[in-house]
Amino acid sequence: MFGPQYVYEQIEKPLIAPLSRIMGRGVGVQRERLRALEADLGNEVEERKAIWKEMSGGIKYGSWKKAGEFLVRSGVPLHTKTETGSYAVDADTLEEFQHYPEVAARLAIAEVENLHTLAVGYLESVRPDGRIYCQINSVGTETGRVSCFDPNLQQVPKETGEEDTARYKWGLEFRKCFVPAPGNVWLHGDYNAMEMRMQANLSGDRIYIELFRADGDPHLDTEQRVFRTQRVHRRAAKIINFGLMYLEGARKLASQTGMTIEAARKAITTYFLEHKELKNWQDQEIEKAKLRGYVDDYVGRRRYVRIWKESTPREVVNMPIQGTCAEILKLAIIKLQDSPIVLPVHDELNWEVEEGKDLKKVAAEYKYTMENVMRFPVTMKVDMSWGKSWGEQKMKEEGK
């Protein structure tokens, strides 16, 4: 039943028309609010650069060579060097050392600069009618996720995350800039813990299946199992849950949580002793990919493994989870193609619905469709909310 032909005939081909209509509708933008946000982000970039300059004894943010030397003098064990022989201080390199205050200061600048660039690009993309018309590609990623460009509205930060990050601080402000057309309400449907639920379904992990069926908290559960504490190491537990879903190593987990590498290794061992079915499934997927030369998701979309490198096991384990989640969202778009969808973003759909309609009824219909496009042991729960913008909503219907 499933396989590449199913993917084409039942998903990709029927998806063309609804995606075309979504692109034609565009997304409403409150231009003045976005312009004020862009200015605020520009000011924050300069403020953070001033903090860095004072911290480093007068070194400008753009002085890469001097910045690397300062970080090493401050005790940061940088080891990667550029072709010119200076220490690499790009964001990817520094992420491993983000628990050092000096590194955190530089990463904060890079993060806010990226958000500022995003705001500038969105402003430039607003048409005279006050809407942005982006391009959506259903086959632009290895896992089958819908991608977006000119501009990429999927880069709008979520209003959730770690409270001490710039993306958390600015995510809600970004989303408040996106509004429905006059006389309409913004309706939002968000798959709850989508990838963790899919991981439970594909791996058959009994702990996660029972947890999600009982509407439990996976991060609290991991904290109790790994650290034997409750609401003390929740942030670390959350990082472990998402990191080990895609085989992050001890060094990466240590850099993200502030644990020692040895403590991170112990946490990984403890986690997989609890989640044996998950570990077995991950190992089986890697072995199958080695034998077949490809990995596939639940419906048969394939990702070919042409060269086996260090990151390949992570890509192999990522594909079935992220790929199947992508298929669910695509099937939901197809089934809801007559509804006024304005923007699909990874694990959520957004509509503009006419004022005066029974929003509770509309939301319940859309929610039921999203949750039932495919059936699994753990329901792909959806939370519905609505309001006057993407970022100003009141939760109305939580998935059960």
Side-chain angles (χ1 to χ4, degrees):
M1 176 182 174
F2 291 145
Q5 188 170 352
Y6 174 91
V7 172
Y8 171 70
E9 292 182 350
Q10 301 300 320
I11 299 178
E12 294 304 333
K13 189 176 178 181
L15 191 63
I16 294 171
L19 285 187
S20 178
R21 287 195 288 272
I22 292 170
M23 288 187 284
R25 286 190 192 103
V27 184
V29 178
Q30 203 170 59
R31 196 192 308 259
E32 292 308 311
R33 187 164 201 157
L34 182 57
R35 185 174 286 115
L37 175 60
E38 182 272 327
D40 289 343
L41 283 165
N43 291 335
E44 177 140 339
V45 169
E46 296 309 313
E47 289 172 8
R48 290 180 181 256
K49 285 182 177 179
I51 292 171
W52 159 261
K53 190 173 182 179
E54 182 178 354
M55 176 185 286
S56 63
I59 298 174
K60 292 182 178 180
Y61 175 70
S63 301
W64 311 114
K65 183 174 184 295
K66 290 181 179 179
E69 293 170 350
F70 163 72
L71 292 175
V72 171
R73 289 197 306 272
S74 300
V76 182
L78 297 179
H79 44 77
T80 304
K81 291 192 174 184
T82 66
E83 293 180 356
T84 61
S86 59
Y87 290 103
V89 291
D90 58 279
D92 289 340
T93 300
L94 292 182
E95 184 181 7
E96 180 181 342
F97 310 105
Q98 60 185 289
H99 52 286
Y100 288 88
E102 299 84 359
V103 172
R106 281 194 70 85
L107 289 176
I109 296 169
E111 190 172 36
V112 179
E113 275 193 328
N114 288 338
L115 294 175
H116 181 249
T117 301
L118 205 61
V120 171
Y122 291 161
L123 268 175
E124 293 173 348
S125 300
V126 180
R127 300 277 185 89
D129 64 356
R131 298 178 78 82
I132 289 178
Y133 297 87
C134 60
Q135 300 298 306
I136 301 174
N137 187 349
S138 70
V139 291
T141 65
E142 292 277 9
T143 60
R145 263 187 167 186
V146 169
S147 60
C148 180
F149 59 98
D150 289 341
N152 184 358
L153 293 179
Q154 293 186 338
Q155 288 183 310
V156 174
K158 296 200 83 166
E159 70 278 19
T160 56
E162 298 304 323
E163 295 187 16
D164 58 349
T165 66
R167 291 186 73 81
Y168 178 91
K169 176 181 178 181
W170 296 105
L172 184 59
E173 297 308 312
F174 261 100
R175 292 189 169 219
K176 287 178 181 177
C177 297
F178 293 87
V179 295
N184 287 263
V185 175
W186 190 283
L187 178 63
H188 175 78
D190 190 358
Y191 281 101
N192 181 302
M194 192 180 197
E195 292 190 2
M196 289 203 70
R197 288 170 180 270
M198 185 53 65
Q199 174 186 244
N201 285 320
L202 296 180
S203 69
D205 186 280
R206 284 173 290 180
I207 290 175
Y208 276 139
I209 289 175
E210 292 173 7
L211 181 78
F212 282 119
R213 281 178 168 174
D215 204 24
D217 182 336
H219 308 315
L220 178 59
D221 184 78
T222 293
E223 180 187 357
Q224 292 171 336
R225 292 175 185 276
V226 173
F227 298 105
R228 305 293 187 248
T229 62
Q230 186 169 337
R231 304 194 186 282
V232 177
H233 298 93
R234 179 178 172 79
R235 178 178 178 274
K238 185 176 182 180
I239 291 170
I240 287 170
N241 275 340
F242 289 113
L244 297 188
M245 185 188 301
Y246 299 129
L247 301 182
E248 294 289 2
R251 183 177 292 276
K252 182 71 174 288
L253 290 180
S255 72
Q256 293 178 323
T257 61
M259 292 189 290
T260 64
I261 293 178
E262 185 56 37
R265 289 196 184 103
K266 183 179 178 181
I268 292 172
T269 299
T270 303
Y271 177 90
F272 281 122
L273 283 174
E274 295 282 343
H275 294 283
K276 293 184 178 69
E277 292 100 338
L278 173 58
K279 184 67 169 68
N280 289 338
W281 175 78
Q282 290 179 340
D283 292 343
Q284 289 168 10
E285 288 299 309
I286 292 169
E287 288 305 310
K288 282 196 300 183
K290 287 179 179 177
L291 288 171
R292 300 187 301 181
Y294 68 87
V295 60
D296 52 6
D297 66 13
Y298 186 78
V299 302
R301 186 185 302 271
R302 295 179 181 179
R303 178 175 185 171
Y304 286 91
V305 182
R306 296 176 177 83
I307 301 174
W308 200 272
K309 51 188 186 293
E310 184 181 356
S311 63
T312 302
R314 291 194 295 275
E315 295 167 358
V316 166
V317 172
N318 168 277
M319 169 58 186
I321 298 172
Q322 197 175 98
T324 308
C325 289
E327 313 296 4
I328 288 174
L329 191 77
K330 288 179 174 181
L331 287 168
I333 293 172
I334 293 168
K335 287 184 176 292
L336 292 168
Q337 61 181 293
D338 293 329
S339 67
I341 300 172
V342 292
L343 185 64
V345 181
H346 299 317
D347 55 359
E348 61 184 79
L349 290 177
N350 296 279
W351 299 261
E352 50 182 30
V353 180
E354 291 180 11
E355 291 177 352
K357 286 200 170 183
D358 186 342
L359 284 170
K360 191 170 184 178
K361 181 181 179 182
V362 172
E365 291 174 354
Y366 293 174
K367 167 185 162 62
Y368 179 83
T369 300
M370 290 176 71
E371 289 183 342
N372 291 280
V373 288
M374 295 179 73
R375 305 303 295 269
F376 291 99
V378 172
T379 299
M380 302 309 290
K381 172 181 169 182
V382 174
D383 298 326
M384 303 295 296
S385 57
W386 56 84
K388 59 183 181 180
S389 73
W390 194 3
E392 295 171 287
Q393 305 163 44
K394 183 178 180 181
M395 187 65 67
K396 295 288 185 178
E397 294 289 330
E398 293 189 356
K400 301 296 183 184

